[in-house]
Amino acid sequence: MTDLDAAFNRIVALAEARGLPGLARSTSYGTPALKVASKSFCRLKDAQTLVLLCPAEQKTLLMEISPEIYFETDHYVGWPAVLVRLDVIADEELSLRLEDAWRSKAPTALAQQRPLTTRAPD
């Protein structure tokens, strides 16, 4: 198993544990990705970095609050995606971020199959 496989297995396990309907393993830009309804919501950039789709406001907030975890490179400036350092983020937080990204791409009918849960503010 490669480092890329191990990183993706962690992401898949966390997404599946959240019970997100319609998950599909895929690839994007030659690396493993997760999709919902044929729309990618996250992909590995490399074994240490996840590209996570999110609204611009959330991206800015995440990078301000936790710059040790969330960042962007010049390539991602202006895009609704944030980079995540996989070796720093805890499983619980990564799990929540995966669900947020999934919700941003899931069709309404599918998202309604996964009720919003109450959680502590970020």
Side-chain angles (χ1 to χ4, degrees):
M1 177 182 299
T2 68
D3 290 344
L4 202 63
D5 292 332
F8 191 59
N9 287 344
R10 175 186 177 202
I11 291 159
V12 170
L14 291 172
E16 287 177 346
R18 288 203 76 79
L20 305 176
L23 282 180
R25 293 175 188 230
S26 188
T27 59
S28 180
Y29 298 98
T31 61
L34 282 179
K35 292 184 177 183
V36 59
S38 301
K39 295 178 183 175
S40 179
F41 64 92
C42 72
R43 76 170 185 90
L44 287 176
K45 184 174 185 299
D46 54 48
Q48 296 79 36
T49 313
L50 180 69
V51 179
L52 189 69
L53 296 175
C54 68
E57 316 79 55
Q58 183 183 28
K59 173 183 177 175
T60 301
L61 184 64
L62 290 171
M63 290 190 307
E64 286 176 2
I65 292 173
S66 300
E68 70 283 3
I69 298 173
Y70 305 101
F71 68 105
E72 68 182 344
T73 60
D74 289 344
H75 178 78
Y76 290 95
V77 172
W79 288 97
V82 67
L83 300 177
V84 181
R85 291 182 179 94
L86 292 172
D87 61 338
V88 178
I89 192 168
D91 283 354
E92 183 177 351
E93 184 167 353
L94 180 54
S95 174
L96 293 172
R97 297 296 159 238
L98 288 168
E99 182 169 348
D100 288 345
W102 173 86
R103 281 191 186 285
S104 75
K105 295 297 180 179
T108 302
L110 199 58
Q112 288 174 343
Q113 293 178 29
R114 171 77 176 131
L116 285 169
T117 55
T118 305
R119 64 182 193 218
D122 296 8

